[in-house]
Amino acid sequence: MSRSPVRRGGGEGPRRPAPWRIATFNIRHGLGRDGRVDLARTARTIAALRADAVGLQEVDAAYGPRSGHEDQASRLAELLGWEVAFGAALDLPPLRPDGPRRRYGVALLTPHALTGPVMHALPAHPGAPARHEPRGVLHAQVTRGGDALDLLVTHLDNDLPQHRTAEVLGILRRAEGITGPAVLLGDLNAAPHRPELAPLAAAGWREAADELRGPGRGLRDLPVLSALTGSPARPTHPARVPVRRIDSLWVRGAVEVLDLATGALTDSDHRPVVATLRARTAPHDPGPGPGPESRTVCDLD
């Protein structure tokens, strides 16, 4: 697969930035409906999104037999010819003393320069039953030409809204230091208007579908009606007959949402979501962090 070209706006003034295409996709460790793990197939699905950056959830890195002990983030980057950052939410001891640690989490893939990736642990709710697995948010910046965009990739708890509330508050604390435009993307395991996601809106984040259609919800949010009316608020899970819109993108700052599309049926149990955005961005000073050519496995801090 060839490296995706950098897209440039046509017929625009020299200072007007080209749109970004940012996607989120839960790949279910490459497991298809046929019961096989096939990363080449997953890579083809990702390439077809024609995105400037794709946030992935449920990514294995030497996790175990279910994915052939493969570092899936690095392998997908190799297949695509892209840069990658991986963030381990779950980090387990190796199966044998000389083996790699078994990791599972989120990743960010891009054909552009990727700098400063950091994986942050997200808190659980102290009064709720223990989570089945820890959760985190991966923060990195993607630079395309003279434009840069902060991206946060996450996968929230799939069980209790109390944990999701605590995790969202953790994301907001981590995002306080971001001064430019930013995008939060991932499998949030909750529809955008659920109470546990309300702190995002209160802190100035805007859900991409709401940006296009205006805030509020109603009959148009029903899965059947959203499909019939062409609403951007399309359900994403389960992939074959989606009834829940749990994969979403949120923007903050000088970001305009131009388009939002939910992908077709994939071999995962989620459908990808792609947003076309226009952001007023500035070049990034990477400081002491890793340079744009690094392919970093990020640990929880």
Side-chain angles (χ1 to χ4, degrees):
M1 249 170 292
S2 62
R3 184 184 178 98
S4 292
V6 178
R7 285 164 291 285
R8 304 185 185 279
E12 299 175 325
R15 297 181 62 84
R16 186 171 176 81
W20 293 85
R21 283 177 61 86
I22 307 297
T24 183
F25 184 29
N26 184 323
I27 66 169
R28 192 172 59 168
H29 66 274
L31 181 66
R33 287 175 284 126
D34 57 2
R36 294 188 303 112
V37 172
D38 186 343
L39 285 189
R41 177 172 58 193
T42 302
R44 289 192 295 271
T45 300
I46 293 170
L49 299 175
R50 298 181 294 107
D52 292 291
V54 182
L56 305 180
Q57 300 83 43
E58 298 194 21
V59 183
D60 285 358
Y63 185 74
R66 73 178 189 182
S67 49
H69 305 276
E70 189 165 31
D71 181 341
Q72 294 190 322
S74 295
R75 179 58 178 155
L76 287 169
E78 180 184 356
L79 288 167
L80 291 161
W82 290 9
E83 299 304 318
V84 66
F86 172 77
L90 191 62
D91 188 345
L92 301 175
L95 292 174
R96 58 181 188 276
D98 59 341
R101 293 188 67 83
R102 296 175 290 143
R103 298 181 177 189
Y104 167 82
V106 298
L108 179 65
L109 283 161
T110 177
H112 308 301
L114 189 156
T115 56
V118 180
M119 182 69 169
H120 300 288
L122 293 176
H125 192 287
R131 294 180 297 194
H132 298 298
E133 61 188 68
R135 302 288 173 163
V137 60
L138 174 64
H139 175 207
Q141 192 168 73
V142 173
T143 304
R144 182 196 62 189
D147 299 329
L149 192 62
D150 280 276
L151 300 177
L152 298 104
V153 184
T154 195
H155 185 191
L156 300 187
D157 189 73
N158 67 334
D159 190 16
L160 296 177
Q162 299 97 310
H163 287 316
R164 290 193 290 272
T165 299
E167 290 158 2
V168 166
L169 294 175
I171 291 171
L172 293 178
R173 285 192 292 271
R174 293 299 185 179
E176 286 176 355
I178 300 175
T179 58
V183 182
L184 169 67
L185 57 148
D187 175 359
L188 305 188
N189 272 308
H193 297 100
R194 290 285 303 168
E196 59 263 39
L197 302 188
L200 288 172
W205 291 85
R206 294 115 51 203
E207 197 265 321
D210 278 352
E211 283 287 277
L212 288 174
R213 65 179 189 174
R217 59 179 302 186
L219 291 177
R220 63 187 176 183
D221 281 334
L222 294 175
V224 173
L225 291 183
S226 66
L228 291 176
T229 61
S231 167
R234 298 286 187 91
T236 61
H237 181 269
R240 184 175 288 278
V241 184
V243 295
R244 303 172 64 211
R245 189 160 72 96
I246 59 176
D247 304 87
S248 57
L249 295 94
W250 297 68
V251 300
R252 194 189 73 178
V255 183
E256 178 187 4
V257 180
L258 305 177
D259 187 42
L260 185 70
T262 298
L265 178 65
T266 71
D267 280 281
S268 174
D269 57 343
H270 290 247
R271 297 195 182 211
V273 181
V274 186
T276 303
L277 313 170
R278 178 136 10 227
R280 294 195 296 275
T281 63
H284 174 52
D285 176 7
E293 296 304 316
S294 64
R295 294 184 175 183
T296 306
V297 175
C298 307
D299 294 317
L300 294 173
D301 59 358

